[in-house]
Each structure stands twice: as C-alpha cells, then as structure tokens.
Amino acid sequence: MELKKLGLTGVEEKRPLVIAGPCSAETEEQVIATAKQLADNGVKVFRAGIWKPRTKPGGFEGNGVKALPWLQTVKKETGMLTATEVATAKHVEEALKYGVDLLWIGARTTADPFAVQEIADTLQGTDVPVLIKNPVNPDLELWIGALQRLNNAGIRRLGAIHRGFSTYDKKLYRNLPQWHIPIELRRRIPELPIICDPSHISGRRDLIAPLCQQAMDLQFDGLIIESHIDPDNAWSDASQQVTPEVLNIILNNLVIRETNQTTENLTELRKQIDEIDINLIETLAKRMRISREIGTYKKEHEMPILQTTRYDEIINKRAQQGIELSMDGEFMKVVFEAIHSESVRQQMLIME
Ligand code: PEP
Ligand code: MN
C-alpha cells in the first residue's frame, strides 16, 4: 500500500495524536463549549458525530447537515481541526462541502464492502485524511480490505482506529480489544498510523485511562476519546464519555515509553503475554459465570455445593492434561485447586 503521513496542519507529529470530542454533536452550545475546553487543554483535533449509526432505532441518530456549520464555528473559534464519521456518499459530499478536515469510517460501515467502496469512489480525486475503524467483527482482512479500497481510490493519508470487536457475551468491555489484531495490522502495514478508541472499547469511563496507557505501551500512534461537557446527560454513549477536565488528567498521567533497538524484541513478546493474560482472565470469568449457573441449579434442586467425586476428577484430569502440554502436574493441581475454591465461593454466595 502506498501511504503518506496523515499530515494534519498545526498538529505536532508526536505520540499520542489526540482526537477528542463528543460522541454526537447535540446542540451548537454543547459543541462549542466542549471544543473550547478541549482546545484550552491543548487538544488539536475535535471529533463529533453528525450522523450516528445506532444499533436500534429510536436512539439519537445525529443532527445531520444542520450540525456541520457548528464544526465550522469550532474551527474558526478554536483553530482546531475537525473530524466526523461518514457512512455514505452523501455524508462525504456534505462533510467536504463544509470543510471537515478528517473523516472516519465507523465500525458498522467498515464491515460492509459496498458502503466502503461507495465512500472510496466519492473520495476519488481528493486528498483528505481518512481513518478507518476496525469492522465490528474480528476480521483483519476485512479491515485491510477497506484500507485498500480507499488506497486504490488514491487516498494516501490513511490511518486505522482500533475500537474493539463486538461480542455476544458482554464482559468487562463493551467491545473486546483483541489487541493481537491491531498488532498484526501493524506488522502487515508498518507505516499505517494506528489510533486507539478506548471509549468504544470500554463503554465505561473508569476504564479509559488504563486502556490509553495500554495503547501507548503497545506503541499505538494516537487516541480518539469521547469527551462531553456534561457526560451524564449526553444524548448517546453517556456512560463512556468524560469531561474535558477528566480527559486532561488522563492525558497528563500517560507515560509514553519509546521502544529502542535492544528492548524491541522483549516488548513484542510482552505484548503477547499481556494479551494472553487478558484472555485467561476473561476465560476464568466465563468459567465462574457457568459455575454460578450450576450453583443456581444446585440450589433449586437442593443439592450440596461440593461434590467430591467431581472435584477429584477435575483435579486429576487437568493435571494429566497439563503434563501432556509440558507443565508440571503439581503446578496444575495448585492452579485448579485455586480455581475450584473460587467457584465454590461464588456458589456459596448464590446459596445464601
Ligand atoms: C463513534 O465513534 O461515535 C462510533 C459510532 O463508533 P464505532 O463506529 O466505533 O461504533
Ligand atoms: Mn460513540
């Protein structure tokens, strides 16, 4: 793929590139007030959704064209660059007409090659920077395919946004990070900037700071974070937005470590360990959930929690399975005794 730098006028080329602003442009006042506070804190690129793809009808679907002049006002009054999501040819035309500086393609749109192609065709002949969010499903090829469609249309200033992947089994995160997917994207297209969207990954304010740090530690180039002057009353994605003030604290606390030659290999391996540990934790949490379901069943059928034959069977079988995979049998016993005792504790809570 032939790529150029994002080249955002007035934005220093350093990690992290920060894009911030509300999920949706709700009112002119909300847009301008949020932008002013962000600009005062040094944020250079303002995001706001004008057209909002919502999972279900009835939610706020954006103000549409009416909100585009508000972005022009932001630009005029704060000097920030502006960014919005486009999903159709019409959106692209309107956004360009109003001078939006940076476009992004949302996760639902990236999953649809017809829609991406339509956007690519409309962008042909322009030189706008475009960021492509990962598709909702964990399909790296589909993500790369979307980047290629834009690149084939002559768009050279491309970037990717990692916003996590949908899952039926909602756990800690709204969208599972599956970090190995953007890491593999980095390996496949090393010159492509990758930006993390901790707001849509987490769906929760309190997880934004640790996700930002993780993204920086994984050498992501930037962060796109939802920020709203009054998050609790936001018209969309209220639970994941932070005030510009909180965003400032999050950004100031970030530790930016640059990798150097000697530690690079180690960094790569540690990323893999982190990913595996997260998977382990999620798998354990899933096991506990099923265990609680068993607890409910036992309660309804007046069965005892501890069934020793089942317990012995688990410990011995797991030890054997572990040995077959080159692990120590005693180690396996310790691990499964600990897991089992936490299962019992969780079932006791249900019995009470
Ligand atoms: C958004 O950025 O507000 C948005 C709708 O994100 P996504 O496409 O990642 O769901
Ligand atoms: Mn949102």
Side-chain angles (χ1 to χ4, degrees), residues 43-94:
V43 176
K44 305 277 189 234
V45 190
F46 182 76
R47 65 148 282 158
I50 303 283
W51 300 279
K52 300 301 301 175
R54 304 322 298 176
T55 301
K56 289 190 177 144
F60 176 58
E61 298 195 320
N63 278 303
V65 179
K66 169 178 135 199
L68 285 167
W70 308 344
L71 293 188
Q72 287 183 312
T73 309
V74 165
K75 199 172 165 148
K76 203 165 74 217
E77 294 197 3
T78 68
M80 289 168 117
L81 299 182
T82 57
T84 202
E85 171 175 347
V86 290
T88 66
K90 189 103 185 84
H91 296 166
V92 173
E93 283 157 10
E94 297 290 0

Coordinates of all heavy atoms in Angstrom, one line a residue, residues 43-94:
V43 N -5.9 20.2 23.1 CA -6.3 19.2 22.1 C -6.4 19.9 20.7 O -7.0 21.0 20.6 CB -7.7 18.5 22.5 CG1 -8.1 17.6 21.4 CG2 -7.5 17.8 23.8
K44 N -5.9 19.3 19.7 CA -5.9 20.0 18.4 C -6.9 19.4 17.4 O -7.1 20.1 16.3 CB -4.5 19.8 17.7 CG -3.3 20.2 18.6 CD -3.1 21.7 18.4 CE -1.9 22.2 19.1 NZ -2.1 23.3 20.1
V45 N -7.4 18.3 17.6 CA -8.4 17.7 16.7 C -9.7 17.4 17.4 O -9.7 16.7 18.4 CB -7.8 16.4 15.9 CG1 -8.8 16.0 14.8 CG2 -6.4 16.7 15.4
F46 N -10.8 18.0 16.9 CA -12.1 17.8 17.5 C -12.9 16.8 16.8 O -13.1 16.9 15.5 CB -12.8 19.2 17.5 CG -14.1 19.2 18.2 CD1 -14.2 19.2 19.6 CD2 -15.3 19.3 17.4 CE1 -15.5 19.2 20.2 CE2 -16.5 19.3 18.0 CZ -16.6 19.3 19.4
R47 N -13.5 15.9 17.5 CA -14.4 14.9 16.8 C -15.8 15.2 17.3 O -16.1 15.6 18.4 CB -14.0 13.4 17.2 CG -14.2 13.1 18.7 CD -14.6 11.6 18.9 NE -16.0 11.4 18.6 CZ -16.6 10.2 18.3 NH1 -15.8 9.2 18.3 NH2 -17.9 10.1 18.1
A48 N -16.8 14.9 16.4 CA -18.2 14.9 16.8 C -19.0 14.2 15.8 O -18.7 14.3 14.6 CB -18.7 16.4 16.9
G49 N -19.9 13.3 16.2 CA -20.7 12.5 15.3 C -21.8 13.4 14.8 O -22.6 14.0 15.6
I50 N -22.0 13.4 13.5 CA -23.1 14.2 12.8 C -24.2 13.3 12.4 O -25.4 13.5 12.5 CB -22.5 15.0 11.6 CG1 -21.3 15.9 12.0 CG2 -23.6 15.7 10.9 CD1 -21.7 17.1 12.7
W51 N -23.7 12.1 11.9 CA -24.7 11.0 11.5 C -24.3 9.9 12.4 O -23.2 9.4 12.4 CB -24.5 10.6 10.0 CG -24.7 11.8 9.1 CD1 -25.9 12.2 8.7 CD2 -23.7 12.6 8.5 NE1 -25.8 13.3 7.8 CE2 -24.4 13.6 7.7 CE3 -22.3 12.7 8.5 CZ2 -23.8 14.6 6.9 CZ3 -21.7 13.7 7.8 CH2 -22.4 14.6 7.0
K52 N -25.2 9.4 13.2 CA -24.9 8.4 14.2 C -25.6 7.0 13.8 O -26.8 6.9 13.9 CB -25.4 8.8 15.6 CG -24.9 10.1 16.1 CD -23.4 10.0 16.2 CE -22.9 8.9 17.1 NZ -21.4 8.8 17.1
P53 N -24.8 6.0 13.5 CA -25.4 4.7 13.3 C -25.7 4.1 14.6 O -24.8 3.8 15.4 CB -24.3 3.9 12.6 CG -23.1 4.5 13.1 CD -23.4 6.0 13.5
R54 N -27.0 3.9 14.9 CA -27.3 3.3 16.2 C -27.8 1.9 16.0 O -28.4 1.6 15.0 CB -28.4 4.1 17.0 CG -28.2 5.6 17.2 CD -26.7 5.9 17.6 NE -26.2 5.3 18.8 CZ -24.9 5.5 19.2 NH1 -24.1 6.2 18.5 NH2 -24.5 4.9 20.3
T55 N -27.5 1.0 17.0 CA -27.8 -0.4 16.9 C -29.3 -0.6 16.7 O -29.8 -1.4 15.9 CB -27.3 -1.1 18.1 OG1 -25.8 -0.9 18.1 CG2 -27.6 -2.6 18.0
K56 N -30.1 0.2 17.5 CA -31.5 0.1 17.5 C -32.2 1.4 17.1 O -31.6 2.5 17.4 CB -32.1 -0.4 18.8 CG -31.7 -1.8 19.1 CD -32.4 -2.3 20.4 CE -32.1 -3.7 20.6 NZ -32.0 -4.0 22.1
P57 N -33.3 1.4 16.4 CA -34.0 2.6 16.1 C -34.5 3.3 17.4 O -34.7 2.6 18.4 CB -35.2 2.2 15.2 CG -35.4 0.8 15.6 CD -34.1 0.2 16.0
G58 N -34.7 4.6 17.3 CA -35.3 5.2 18.4 C -34.2 6.0 19.2 O -34.6 7.0 19.9
G59 N -33.0 5.6 19.1 CA -31.9 6.4 19.7 C -31.7 7.7 18.9 O -32.2 7.9 17.8
F60 N -30.8 8.5 19.4 CA -30.5 9.8 18.7 C -29.6 9.4 17.5 O -28.5 8.9 17.7 CB -29.7 10.7 19.7 CG -29.3 12.0 19.1 CD1 -30.2 12.8 18.4 CD2 -27.9 12.3 19.1 CE1 -29.7 14.0 17.8 CE2 -27.5 13.5 18.5 CZ -28.4 14.3 17.9
E61 N -30.1 9.8 16.4 CA -29.3 9.4 15.2 C -28.5 10.5 14.5 O -28.1 10.4 13.4 CB -30.3 8.7 14.2 CG -30.8 7.4 14.8 CD -31.5 6.5 13.8 OE1 -32.2 7.0 12.9 OE2 -31.3 5.3 13.9
G62 N -28.3 11.6 15.3 CA -27.5 12.7 14.8 C -28.3 13.8 14.2 O -29.4 13.6 13.8
N63 N -27.7 15.0 14.2 CA -28.4 16.1 13.7 C -28.3 16.3 12.2 O -29.0 17.1 11.6 CB -27.9 17.4 14.4 CG -28.5 17.7 15.7 OD1 -29.8 17.7 15.8 ND2 -27.7 17.7 16.7
G64 N -27.4 15.5 11.6 CA -27.2 15.6 10.2 C -26.6 17.0 9.8 O -26.0 17.7 10.6
V65 N -26.8 17.3 8.5 CA -26.2 18.5 7.9 C -26.3 19.8 8.7 O -25.4 20.6 8.8 CB -26.9 18.8 6.5 CG1 -26.3 20.0 5.8 CG2 -26.7 17.6 5.6
K66 N -27.4 19.9 9.4 CA -27.6 21.1 10.3 C -26.5 21.3 11.3 O -26.2 22.5 11.7 CB -28.9 20.8 11.1 CG -29.3 21.7 12.2 CD -30.6 21.3 12.8 CE -30.5 21.3 14.3 NZ -31.5 20.5 15.0
A67 N -25.8 20.3 11.6 CA -24.7 20.4 12.6 C -23.3 20.7 12.0 O -22.4 21.1 12.7 CB -24.6 19.1 13.5
L68 N -23.2 20.6 10.7 CA -21.9 20.9 10.0 C -21.4 22.3 10.2 O -20.2 22.5 10.5 CB -22.0 20.5 8.6 CG -21.9 18.9 8.3 CD1 -22.3 18.6 6.9 CD2 -20.6 18.4 8.7
P69 N -22.3 23.3 10.2 CA -21.8 24.7 10.4 C -21.2 24.8 11.9 O -20.3 25.7 12.1 CB -23.0 25.6 10.3 CG -24.0 24.8 9.4 CD -23.7 23.3 9.7
W70 N -21.7 24.0 12.8 CA -21.2 24.1 14.2 C -19.7 23.7 14.2 O -18.9 24.3 14.9 CB -21.9 23.2 15.1 CG -23.4 23.4 15.1 CD1 -24.1 24.5 14.6 CD2 -24.4 22.5 15.6 NE1 -25.5 24.3 14.7 CE2 -25.7 23.1 15.4 CE3 -24.4 21.2 16.3 CZ2 -26.9 22.4 15.7 CZ3 -25.5 20.6 16.6 CH2 -26.8 21.2 16.4
L71 N -19.4 22.7 13.3 CA -17.9 22.3 13.2 C -17.1 23.5 12.6 O -16.0 23.7 13.0 CB -17.8 21.0 12.4 CG -18.4 19.8 13.1 CD1 -18.0 18.5 12.3 CD2 -17.9 19.6 14.5
Q72 N -17.7 24.2 11.7 CA -17.0 25.3 11.1 C -16.8 26.4 12.1 O -15.7 27.0 12.2 CB -17.9 25.9 9.9 CG -17.9 25.0 8.7 CD -18.7 25.7 7.6 OE1 -19.8 26.2 7.8 NE2 -18.1 25.7 6.4
T73 N -17.7 26.6 13.0 CA -17.5 27.5 14.1 C -16.4 27.1 15.0 O -15.6 27.9 15.5 CB -18.9 27.7 14.9 OG1 -19.9 28.0 13.9 CG2 -18.8 28.8 15.9
V74 N -16.4 25.8 15.3 CA -15.3 25.3 16.2 C -14.0 25.6 15.6 O -13.1 26.1 16.3 CB -15.5 23.7 16.4 CG1 -14.2 23.1 16.9 CG2 -16.6 23.4 17.2
K75 N -13.9 25.4 14.3 CA -12.6 25.6 13.6 C -12.2 27.1 13.7 O -11.1 27.4 14.0 CB -12.8 25.1 12.2 CG -11.5 24.9 11.5 CD -11.7 24.3 10.1 CE -10.4 24.4 9.4 NZ -10.1 23.4 8.5
K76 N -13.2 27.9 13.4 CA -13.0 29.4 13.4 C -12.6 29.9 14.8 O -11.7 30.7 15.0 CB -14.2 30.1 12.9 CG -13.9 31.4 12.3 CD -15.1 32.0 11.5 CE -16.2 32.4 12.4 NZ -17.6 32.2 11.9
E77 N -13.3 29.4 15.8 CA -13.1 30.0 17.1 C -12.0 29.4 17.9 O -11.5 30.0 18.8 CB -14.4 29.9 17.9 CG -15.5 30.8 17.3 CD -16.6 31.1 18.2 OE1 -16.6 30.7 19.4 OE2 -17.6 31.8 17.8
T78 N -11.6 28.1 17.6 CA -10.6 27.5 18.4 C -9.3 27.2 17.6 O -8.3 26.8 18.1 CB -11.1 26.2 19.0 OG1 -11.2 25.2 17.9 CG2 -12.3 26.3 19.8
G79 N -9.4 27.2 16.3 CA -8.3 26.8 15.4 C -8.1 25.3 15.4 O -7.2 24.8 14.7
M80 N -9.0 24.5 16.0 CA -8.9 23.1 15.9 C -9.2 22.5 14.6 O -10.0 23.1 13.9 CB -9.8 22.4 16.9 CG -9.5 22.5 18.4 SD -10.9 22.0 19.3 CE -10.2 20.6 20.2
L81 N -8.7 21.4 14.2 CA -9.2 20.6 13.0 C -10.4 19.9 13.5 O -10.6 19.6 14.6 CB -8.1 19.7 12.5 CG -6.8 20.3 12.1 CD1 -5.8 19.2 11.6 CD2 -6.9 21.3 11.1
T82 N -11.3 19.6 12.5 CA -12.5 18.9 12.9 C -12.6 17.5 12.2 O -12.0 17.3 11.1 CB -13.7 19.7 12.5 OG1 -13.7 20.0 11.1 CG2 -13.8 21.0 13.2
A83 N -13.3 16.6 12.8 CA -13.4 15.2 12.3 C -14.8 14.7 12.5 O -15.4 15.0 13.6 CB -12.4 14.3 13.0
T84 N -15.3 14.0 11.5 CA -16.6 13.3 11.7 C -16.7 12.0 11.0 O -15.8 11.7 10.1 CB -17.8 14.3 11.3 OG1 -18.9 13.8 12.0 CG2 -18.0 14.3 9.9
E85 N -17.7 11.2 11.4 CA -17.9 9.9 10.7 C -18.7 10.0 9.5 O -19.7 10.7 9.4 CB -18.6 9.0 11.7 CG -19.0 7.7 11.1 CD -19.6 6.7 12.1 OE1 -19.5 6.9 13.3 OE2 -20.2 5.7 11.6
V86 N -18.3 9.3 8.4 CA -19.1 9.3 7.2 C -19.4 7.8 6.9 O -18.6 6.9 7.1 CB -18.4 9.9 6.0 CG1 -18.3 11.4 6.1 CG2 -17.0 9.3 5.8
A87 N -20.7 7.6 6.3 CA -21.1 6.3 6.0 C -21.6 6.1 4.6 O -21.8 5.0 4.1 CB -22.1 5.8 7.1
T88 N -21.9 7.2 4.0 CA -22.5 7.2 2.6 C -21.8 8.3 1.7 O -21.1 9.2 2.3 CB -24.0 7.5 2.6 OG1 -24.2 8.9 3.0 CG2 -24.8 6.6 3.6
A89 N -22.1 8.2 0.4 CA -21.5 9.2 -0.5 C -22.0 10.5 -0.1 O -21.3 11.5 -0.1 CB -22.0 8.8 -1.9
K90 N -23.3 10.6 0.3 CA -23.9 11.9 0.6 C -23.2 12.5 1.8 O -22.9 13.7 1.8 CB -25.4 11.6 1.0 CG -26.2 12.9 1.2 CD -27.1 13.1 -0.1 CE -27.9 14.5 0.1 NZ -27.1 15.6 -0.3
H91 N -22.9 11.7 2.8 CA -22.2 12.2 4.0 C -20.8 12.8 3.6 O -20.4 13.9 4.1 CB -21.9 11.1 5.0 CG -23.1 10.5 5.6 ND1 -23.1 9.3 6.3 CD2 -24.4 10.9 5.7 CE1 -24.3 9.0 6.8 NE2 -25.1 9.9 6.4
V92 N -20.1 12.1 2.7 CA -18.8 12.5 2.3 C -18.9 13.9 1.6 O -18.2 14.8 1.9 CB -18.1 11.5 1.3 CG1 -16.9 12.1 0.7 CG2 -17.9 10.2 2.0
E93 N -19.9 14.0 0.7 CA -20.1 15.2 -0.1 C -20.4 16.4 0.9 O -19.8 17.5 0.8 CB -21.2 15.1 -1.1 CG -20.8 14.3 -2.3 CD -21.9 13.7 -3.1 OE1 -23.1 14.0 -2.7 OE2 -21.7 12.8 -3.9
E94 N -21.3 16.2 1.8 CA -21.7 17.2 2.8 C -20.5 17.6 3.6 O -20.2 18.8 3.8 CB -22.8 16.8 3.6 CG -24.1 16.5 2.9 CD -24.8 17.8 2.3 OE1 -24.2 18.9 2.5 OE2 -25.9 17.6 1.7

